[in-house]
Every structure is written in structure tokens, then in C-alpha cells.
Amino acid sequence: MEIPSTELPKPPIPYVKGWRFTVQSHTPPPPTPVTQNGCCNSMPEIEERRDLSAAERCLQNPPLPGKAGSTTLELEIVHLLKVKDGTNAQVFVINIIGSNPESSWPGQKVVAKVYDPLYHDDDDGYLNSFRCVDKHYTHEVASYENLSEFQGDAVPTFYGSYSLDIPVEGLGVRTVRLILVEYIPGILMKDANPQDFSQSARQQVMKKIIDFETDVYFKKDMCNEDISPRNVIMHPEGKLVYIDFANVLFGRKTDDYFASTIDMFLGQYISPLLRWTNQDNAWDFQDWIDWDWEPWVKAEYAHTADTITQEQRERYDS
């Protein structure tokens, strides 16, 4: 068994309250392909993990190039949301204190999400952190761009993708990618107590989640494989706001050869009666569900039954 990534010698995490740094706008390449074991380490990569320090590996494995932009922003961290070793991304609230060229940015509070492989959880060497964060970054940027019509309501407003250079003592400079999005007040659904809500209120919450997921699946052909209470913000005004699109599948499927042969009925509405009646699909929300799930879904979406074709039924029932 390999050493856990959190036990490897590393520089201190730089993302601390009060830290000021400059980022440059960046356009990522298209979303990386999603294939079976695509983010897993090969044996040579496992050997590299054993032979080089975590920081040295970051210099050996820079992020995918993309295209550097001409805008720079000066940022200051004002509040930490999720900053620790052994997580997929570092997330914190920042103030934008300067921009070049000048804009209306300064003074605005937004959320920064940094895809830093140095502090990524590589599952004891099983995962390749560099391919993982490349995937998360490229998929999340593409997702926000595709979800532009939902921004400012069900999805945070997207303020762009950026690049950050971080000095590594005695070694050089390593580069990480990040995005900036709207700060959303409220509480993560995972931190809310379901018992504080009536059954009727919880059913309304679950219906909103199904409706949003179905809408995105239909309009954008995007399948979010990580809809979970940890990725849903309960806004004080009562709406739900969805975050974290790092594990979205474009075209409703993976990029494996076998998947490429399957007709996913792109651009066609797929009724929740085909995709949500199985309670396993709502497994992460079990603490919120204390009613008989399948009959409830069938009753809520009975009006969509006549949209289902025989071909769709055969595909989604298989």
C-alpha cells in the first residue's frame, strides 16, 4: 500500500486568510475525456510518486496548457470555506482588490475554487492527481459556460477561469488553475437538519432537485454524476443553488468506446419516470426521504408519461 497523500512531505498550504495574490485570465482546453480508469495512476506514475517529492511532481506535471488571457486580478482571501490537504479543490471567499485592465471588479466578494494537485486526495496513490484536477477544471468551466441561462438563479454566476503561479522554495514556480464564481449566502444541504423541515417541505426540495437535474439533462445533454447534499446550497429566499460540476458527463455518457455506441437520445426530453423512480438514484438524499419514493415520483411526474417512447423505455429500463 502506498503512503496516503496527506502524509507526504509538502509545503504549507498557502491559502490562508489575508493572503494576497495575482491571477491571470486563462481559457482551458475542451473538457478532458472521461474513460474507465482514465484518472488512475500507471505503474511508472506510481514509481514517480515514490521517487519524487509532491512539489517536484507538480513541476514535472503542469496543468494542461489552454490559452493565457490578458486580464489580471489582485485577490485577497477573506474567509476559508474548504481549505485542507486531501480534498479535490481548495475553496475560499476572496475580495477583488485590483484589476488590469481596470474594471468594476474591485471591492467585489466572490468565491475562488482552486484545483491544486499538491493537496488533492489521490486515494493512496491510486489516482493521478494531475489528470484529476485537469478533468475537474476543464469540466467545471465548460459546465458553467453551458449553464449560462441558469446563472444567477439555480447556478452561481460564473466570473471566469484563471491561472495562479505559486513559488516553490528551492525548486521554481508551479502553476494551478482556478475559477471565480458568485458568493451564495445560505447553508449547504448537507449541513441542514432534515428534521427541521416538514415532510411536505422536504418533498418540495426533492422535486426541485429532480426538476433541475432533468432540465439540464434535457436542454444541455449534461449528466451530473455528483448531485449530492454537499453540492446544493439552500438559499435564505427558499431557492436551491447547485454547485460543483467537476464530474459532469457531456453528451450524457462517458467517452469509452462502448458508451459511444449507445443512443442516449440527445436533445430529447427524458421523463423522471425513467431516471428517478429507482430510489438508489437519490441515495445521497436518504436522510431527507421518509416516504415511499417510487409511488411519489410516479404521482409527481405522471403528466410526463406520454413523452416516453418505447425506445427510451428500452434504453433506460435496461
Side-chain angles (χ1 to χ4, degrees), residues 11-195:
I13 297 176
Y15 314 110
V16 296
K17 185 177 179 180
W19 186 43
R20 292 189 174 193
F21 56 98
T22 300
V23 299
Q24 181 178 11
S25 56
H26 176 264
T27 301
T32 59
V34 179
T35 58
Q36 185 177 16
N37 299 325
C39 282
C40 296
N41 269 323
S42 64
M43 279 309 301
E45 289 165 339
I46 292 175
E47 291 295 334
E48 178 190 87
R49 187 180 186 272
R50 294 169 181 167
D51 295 340
L52 299 179
S53 72
E56 287 172 329
R57 293 184 67 223
C58 288
L59 297 177
Q60 291 276 358
N61 298 274
L64 293 175
K67 182 179 179 181
S70 58
T71 299
T72 59
L73 301 177
E74 187 179 357
L75 312 178
E76 180 181 14
I77 298 177
V78 296
H79 179 65
L80 306 182
L81 296 175
K82 186 181 69 172
V83 172
K84 63 178 183 178
D85 194 7
T87 190
N88 285 341
Q90 310 296 319
V91 186
F92 42 85
V93 181
I94 55 99
N95 272 336
I96 299 176
I97 55 180
S99 66
N100 185 18
E102 292 186 5
S103 69
S104 59
W105 279 104
Q108 188 163 348
K109 181 186 293 186
V110 300
V111 172
K113 183 174 184 179
V114 182
Y115 308 88
D116 192 335
L118 186 56
Y119 307 106
H120 177 265
D121 179 11
D122 70 359
D123 195 13
D124 300 349
Y126 178 70
L127 296 175
N128 182 290
S129 293
F130 309 104
R131 283 200 294 278
C132 285
V133 298
D134 280 342
K135 173 197 170 188
H136 296 162
Y137 172 60
T138 58
H139 281 243
E140 194 135 37
V141 172
S143 294
Y144 273 108
E145 291 174 344
N146 287 343
L147 296 173
S148 58
E149 69 184 79
F150 298 95
Q151 290 183 30
D153 185 21
V155 171
T157 301
F158 178 60
Y159 296 129
S161 47
Y162 299 85
S163 191
L164 166 64
D165 289 338
I166 303 175
V168 181
E169 186 176 357
L171 294 176
V173 175
R174 66 187 187 91
T175 301
V176 297
R177 310 296 191 204
L178 66 147
I179 62 171
L180 300 180
V181 298
E182 176 188 8
Y183 173 77
I184 304 295
I187 183 173
L188 286 174
M189 192 173 172
K190 75 176 182 64
D191 296 326
N193 184 357
Q195 301 310 311

